[in-house]
């Protein structure tokens, strides 16, 4: 038994020595990534991104939704500023305003032969304000300094208000819900920047990773109250989160 143990020990020792020698003789792998100065230390960046979409439905049908009539829009603007503490690394702040409106004049939900739900005279309007701090890392594409990639990591606080209105049998029969919300967001947003000249650049940014915590308080017809608390984490590519803007580097 002792002899077998000695043989096994010698075997493992020889195998370890072989791998060690192989690693010593093996050359280091180089990916060829060169750390270039894309934006130098000491520069300021000032800019804004925006997003706008709208829709209008006239007797529109899709899947279980029929006879949809109404319209709506979404608007988002986000000015920001930053300072480069070192080459290709900036920290800064951002203010964001988001507004959305949805009006449903008529809508039928067909769930089967005996289940039909009709919605009419419903509207929703909401607006939210966000304050954020962020950090950006830049890297150049190729040997030039015209095109580059960046990744933005941010944390933000948001305060929002919304109002839902439902007109029932007539103008005098209206019910409404008023809501206020507080939310905390942590996100990561990659993007691409293209310099038009030495100081002005066009940038495109998309939110793909995020963590959100939100608390909502509401009151219905100034009588009944309610609350809701949610949290979520996401990792996805959403074209509706695409933001386009201009940035000034000074």
């Amino acid at each position: 038994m002792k002899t077998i143990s000695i043989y096994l020990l010698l075997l493992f020792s020889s195998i370890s020595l072989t791998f060690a020698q192989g690693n010593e003789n093996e050359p280091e792998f180089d990916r060829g990534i060169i750390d270039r100065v894309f934006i130098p230390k000491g520069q300021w960046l000032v800019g804004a991104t925006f997003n706008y979409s709208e829709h209008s439905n006239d007797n529109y049908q899709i899947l279980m939704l029929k006879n949809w009539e109404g319209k709506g829009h979404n608007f988002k603007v986000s000015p920001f500023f930053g300072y480069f503490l070192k080459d290709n690394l900036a920290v800064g702040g951002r203010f964001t305003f988001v507004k959305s409106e949805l009006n449903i004049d008529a809508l039928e939900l067909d769930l089967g032969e005996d289940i039909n739900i009709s919605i009419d005279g419903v509207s929703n309007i909401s607006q939210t304000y966000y304050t954020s701090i962020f950090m950006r890392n830049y890297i150049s594409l190729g040997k030039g300094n015209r095109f580059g990639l960046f990744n933005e990591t941010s944390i933000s606080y948001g305060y929002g208000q919304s109002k839902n209105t439902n007109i029932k049998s007539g103008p005098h029969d209206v019910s409404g819900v008023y809501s206020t919300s507080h939310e905390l967001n942590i996100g990561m947003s990659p993007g691409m920047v293209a310099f038009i000249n030495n100081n002005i650049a066009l940038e495109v940014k998309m939110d793909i990773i995020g963590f959100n915590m939100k608390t909502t308080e509401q009151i219905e017809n100034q009588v009944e109250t309610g609350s809701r608390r949610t949290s979520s984490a996401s990792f996805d590519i959403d074209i509706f989160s695409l933001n386009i803007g201009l940035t000034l580097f000074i």
Side-chain angles (χ1 to χ4, degrees), residues 17 38-39 49 52 73 77 123 166 170 172 200 202 206 208 216:
L17 181 61
F38 186 61
I39 302 175
T49 61
Y52 179 79
H73 71 270
V77 62
S123 65
N166 185 9
H172 301 289
I200 300 176
L202 177 68
M206 179 179 292
I208 63 169
T216 303

Side-chain angles (χ1 to χ4, degrees), residues 9-26:
L9 180 60
L10 292 175
L11 178 62
F12 287 135
S13 300
S14 62
I15 293 175
S16 301
L17 181 61
T18 302
F19 276 108
Q21 291 176 349
N23 292 332
E24 290 178 357
N25 297 329
E26 188 174 313

Side-chain angles (χ1 to χ4, degrees), residues 209-228:
I209 300 176
F211 176 75
N212 171 271
M213 296 178 60
K214 185 175 182 180
T215 301
T216 303
E217 304 284 341
Q218 62 179 203
I219 180 170
E220 182 178 359
N221 295 333
Q222 300 298 323
V223 177
E224 299 181 2
T225 61
S227 64
R228 186 187 187 194

Side-chain angles (χ1 to χ4, degrees), residues 33-67:
I33 299 176
I34 301 176
D35 188 13
R36 302 178 183 275
V37 178
F38 186 61
I39 302 175
K41 173 184 176 181
Q43 277 205 309
W44 287 87
L45 65 91
V46 181
T49 61
F50 61 91
N51 186 299
Y52 179 79
S53 64
E54 66 176 19
H55 64 88
S56 178
N57 305 311
D58 183 11
N59 197 28
Y60 182 68
Q61 300 185 24
I62 178 173
L63 299 177
M64 297 177 293
L65 303 179
K66 297 183 178 181
N67 303 324

